[in-house]
Amino acid sequence: MERRAWRTLASLVAAALLAGAVAGCAPKQEPEEGGGAQKEPYRIGVVVSLTGTYAGLGIPEKQAMEMERDRINSEGGVNGHPIELIFEDDATDPAKAAAATTKLIEQDGVLAIIGATGTAQTMAMRSEIQRAGVPQVSMAGGSVITAQFDPLVFQTPWPNRIVVPFILKTMAKKGYKKIAVISDTGGFGKDGHDIIVKEAPAAGISVVADETFNPGDTDVSSQLTKIRAADPDAVLMWNAGKEAALVVKGMRQLGMKQPLFGSHGNARKEFIEGAGSAAEGFVFPAGKILVPEAYGAGTESYRVATSFIDAYTKKYGTPPDTFAGHAYDAFLIVVDALKRVEGDVTPEKLRNAIEQTKGLVGVGGTFTYSPTDHNGLTESELVLYRIENGAWVLDEQ
Amino acid sequence: MSTADLLQFVASGLQNGAIYALMALGFTLVFASTGVINFAQGEFFMLGGMLVAAEVAAGVPLGLAVAGAVAATAAVGALIERFALRPARASGALTLIIITIGCSMLLKSAARHLFGPDERAVPAFSEGEPVAVAGAMVQRQVLWVVGLTLLAAVALTVLYRWTKLGLAMRACSVSHDAARIVGIDTARVVMASFALAGALGALAGAVVAPVTQTAYDVGARMGLKGFAAAVLGGLGDPVGAIVGGVVLGLLESGAVAFVSGTYKDAVALVVLLLVLVLRPQGIVGRHLGEKL
Amino acid sequence: MSLLSVRGLDKRFGGVHAVRDLSFDVHPQTIKALIGPNGAGKSTVFNLLTGFERPDAGSATFEGIDLTGRPPHETVRMGLARTFQESRLFDTMTVEENVLVGMHLRLSASFGLAAIRSPRVRREEREAREEAAHVMRLVGIDRYRDTRASDLPHGVRRLVELARALATRPRLLMLDEPAAGLDGRETADLGEVLLRVRDAGTAILVVEHDMGLVMGISDEVVVVDQGRKIAEGPPLIIQKDPAVLEAYLGEVSDGA
């Protein structure tokens, strides 16, 4: 072929490759769910991590919301209005989360935004949320989301501010007075680390070693060596990514006999797969969804949780994890608030309705918001789990 | 700090260093033969681990899965050269580098679509408790990492010094024109270099996946570190790649041990910048960085 | 029967018509000089014949087989060898290694990926080293055998490239200004070498500006001006050709 023709072909190939890559990264836009209702759809934006480090959390979140949207719309929508969910992928990147927020507000005119999957991404959305006055319901667990209080911002997971004292009390009760902390430098890990350091003295615990690792690290044995040298009674890990398996296996490698405790960020079956036999005995706090008996048979919580678990498992072939649960709760809260708005729905009215949520039974717990509490949950929603024979069992509380 | 701790840091450094060395070899082989910096090298690493995970999940025995992953990624490397790069050969190094970036994006999103976003576990090559080596405790898989890296280094040396392909690659790394006029098919050598780079990257990915789990997005970080290691040792020199890899691994381990784990990833970037500014030909630096 | 047959070779580079409808022959065991004023397109002819450039029109055959458009490594295998105006040596290797590279690629028929050394390969290598030694002696560079190519004086580099080209056992050797940078005595020695090479069975096509060398060793000369052939024939006739003289008016040709 002539030189010029080769060059044209090469440019076309390069362009096709780039286009393919870009297309591969773009989120699939959801088709409209009509549901047969006559009225205008209520448009809700969703910022979720479908790619990047938190994709393993974001995808179950999206699936839970899609399932619930379909169910609600098939039952006639909210007051006759169908719900339209518009998903945007933030790729676990705060900048993209902020850009997605702008797009959802400016181009799609959403009434509220559910998101993000991660703490740093949630915080990055805030200035746009404030500028537009649109309420935000986050699925991320960093305390800073509600500690830096904003009337527009709500949160559905148990925040670190509640979980950390819970686990610290547990560790103290089991007799561990000197602990080492190992956390990742992502939003959730850093937030948890700071609260641990602050709350440990109140629980009667001293932190004798404090190490960090980065998301994406392939080895943490150096950090663990320093921890081993400090001779702690137990180790507390705070992260939400796949490096958790590295910590567990690393401790085994170095012959460390101390028990390892973690957070609700480790409530993932991939953690068990990755850590293998080293995960035995790992203890962590989370909501009751992992072992629904914890809700108490016959209660409304149990009914809500088990119908969610059954429907999700039937549709997606695998039981929902805690992250799917947070998304279910976020969607539930928005839908419940929409029902209570009088007259035409505006973002401001919707925000007020969300803030008035009382006793709403979700999967992560029963939510009651107030002008000062945008978490809505208490420590009573948490239980302690232990990994035994590769599965989660309830640990003694 | 006790001696046992110090030895542990060294062991950690060598373990990571072996992986960086394999990645650096992939960069250096391609750069030497073609003058191109192949930014898809990190994705070769990712493919190695992900393909093994997928094959094992489909029931393929582990050894065969590793061999299959390495061979498949070598083929991907050759295909990239043949169909994405060779047609644009006349366009200059910068365009070619951009094409490799495009290929890396394509590979990454293909992996995400094929395998999903979640991390995947890969079984260890041999079962058993961690063992003591020279005063440090290492997981058994780490022995595989170091062992296979050494094996790869030996195999490459044999290839380079005692086979016709190795001679052709050495000739191409000095001058393509001179190579052509002694009858070397430089196009084939370039394709073979890419295939080898694919195999090396995949081997690194496959052997470390049991330790770290693997996911569709692990390529970029490892690619950057491999590149930094190659530049540190001397881009274009296989010995430099191994030296650079080991040194980078030890420097990272030292940073964690004596500073903080937070800065570990920054080490590679700092090293890269310092080398490019102060001594572009790298530690071993036999080829002066004309191509750079 | 001509060894190399060039017909209607044509090449443009943008606005420059470098080679215009060029036709000539080279016969076996002869030395043919390709001369002409600077910028006449002579190096381009070499590039076209050895696959470094593609002609816009025209063709060439070598020993009756079509040469046009083949990649460089194939032309070498067919029996052509060429050198460059600025020598392209393997600078990090010694002179002997440079020469050996030319030979190694001929060993063990297939360009296989794993042609690991076996007793047969080792014997071939021993024979190759002997042949390399012979070629280096012939060209007069054997005392530089173990010197790194990057450390060589300029004139010797040209000779190393010549030796390496000879090592590929070509039937036609194409030399691009082999005498550039050589002094009078070295040029005379080079002429001797080329005559010996011809007598041993290799034809030579040489681009040269040194008229003394050209007139002294060539069997035939082809003159090219601005890409077009303006004369072809034995040296003594060419010397007197009015078109040639006119083309060279104003040119400073050394050693005439």
Side-chain angles (χ1 to χ4, degrees), chain B residues 112-133:
Chain B
R112 160 114 168 57
H113 280 287
L114 282 173
F115 304 122
D118 291 322
E119 64 267 29
R120 296 211 169 195
V122 172
F125 291 9
S126 57
E127 292 300 325
E129 289 301 303
V131 294
V133 174

Side-chain angles (χ1 to χ4, degrees), chain A residues 67-364:
Chain A
M67 185 180 86
E68 282 304 294
R69 173 205 60 201
D70 293 346
R71 184 181 64 76
I72 297 235
N73 285 343
S74 73
E75 291 167 5
V78 175
N79 302 333
H81 297 260
I83 300 280
E84 184 183 331
L85 286 180
I86 302 163
F87 290 93
E88 291 293 325
D89 177 17
D90 68 12
T92 320
D93 178 354
K96 292 206 175 89
T101 307
T102 307
K103 181 244 179 203
L104 287 167
I105 293 174
E106 302 296 320
Q107 283 183 34
D108 300 308
V110 297
L111 293 166
I113 296 187
I114 296 177
T117 306
T119 301
Q121 292 71 23
T122 301
M123 297 308 292
M125 295 161 65
R126 182 166 293 202
S127 62
E128 187 58 21
I129 291 283
Q130 287 169 337
R131 190 194 60 79
V134 168
Q136 176 188 18
V137 182
S138 174
M139 303 173 286
S143 296
V144 61
I145 294 171
T146 47
Q148 280 183 30
F149 191 84
D150 188 288
L152 288 162
V153 178
F154 302 83
Q155 187 177 30
T156 56
W158 325 279
N160 285 334
R161 183 169 12 100
I162 294 181
V163 184
V164 166
F166 178 80
I167 192 66
L168 285 176
K169 273 194 308 211
T170 304
M171 292 172 81
K173 207 161 33 149
K174 290 182 190 258
Y176 303 119
K177 297 286 194 249
K178 302 183 311 175
I179 70 167
V181 179
I182 182 164
S183 58
D184 81 8
T185 52
F188 176 80
K190 191 154 185 338
D191 182 79
H193 163 271
D194 293 346
I195 298 179
I196 292 170
V197 165
K198 192 170 116 198
E199 299 291 330
I205 291 178
S206 66
V207 176
V208 300
D210 184 352
E211 293 299 321
T212 58
F213 56 90
N214 297 317
D217 270 353
T218 54
D219 170 60
V220 294
S221 55
S222 294
Q223 290 92 329
L224 291 172
T225 303
K226 286 160 86 177
I227 287 179
R228 184 179 65 177
D231 194 31
D233 299 328
V235 179
L236 177 58
M237 169 175 73
W238 215 268
N239 83 318
K242 67 181 187 291
E243 298 72 35
L246 280 180
V247 173
V248 178
K249 289 195 286 200
M251 284 180 65
R252 170 75 64 90
Q253 167 189 334
L254 294 180
M256 294 172 70
K257 298 280 185 278
Q258 293 89 339
L260 179 64
F261 293 79
S263 72
H264 48 302
N266 306 125
R268 304 182 61 235
K269 68 172 178 3
E270 286 80 9
F271 169 62
I272 301 180
E273 281 166 15
S277 58
E280 291 297 301
F282 178 76
V283 173
F284 67 99
K288 300 170 186 170
I289 188 176
L290 299 179
V291 178
E293 286 65 44
Y295 289 106
T299 61
E300 176 67 3
S301 302
Y302 183 77
R303 189 195 65 76
V304 167
T306 44
S307 62
F308 170 60
I309 293 170
D310 291 341
Y312 189 100
T313 310
K314 188 154 150 225
K315 182 167 166 114
Y316 295 112
T318 169
D321 56 17
T322 55
F323 307 101
H326 298 323
Y328 173 93
D329 289 340
F331 185 74
L332 175 71
I333 285 166
V334 170
V335 162
D336 176 78
L338 279 170
K339 288 187 188 144
R340 291 184 272 110
V341 171
E342 301 196 358
D344 289 338
V345 177
T346 64
E348 193 189 326
K349 285 196 199 169
L350 184 54
R351 186 214 78 85
N352 295 338
I354 293 176
E355 197 173 69
Q356 284 154 17
T357 303
K358 296 238 179 315
L360 180 61
V361 177
V363 156

Side-chain angles (χ1 to χ4, degrees), chain A residues 28-43:
Chain A
K28 292 201 184 62
Q29 287 303 328
E30 294 305 310
E32 299 235 349
E33 286 292 332
Q38 320 303 40
K39 301 190 189 166
E40 273 286 296
Y42 287 145
R43 310 180 81 175

Side-chain angles (χ1 to χ4, degrees), chain C residues 41 45 47 49 67 81-82 85 88 100 137 146 167 171 173 177 193-194 197 228 255:
Chain C
V45 172
N47 285 342
L49 292 174
L67 192 59
R82 70 161 294 177
Q85 242 180 45
R88 314 264 168 102
L100 280 173
R137 264 193 311 271
D146 294 317
R171 284 183 295 295
L173 183 58
E177 299 195 30
V193 171
L194 295 181
V197 165
R228 202 185 300 113

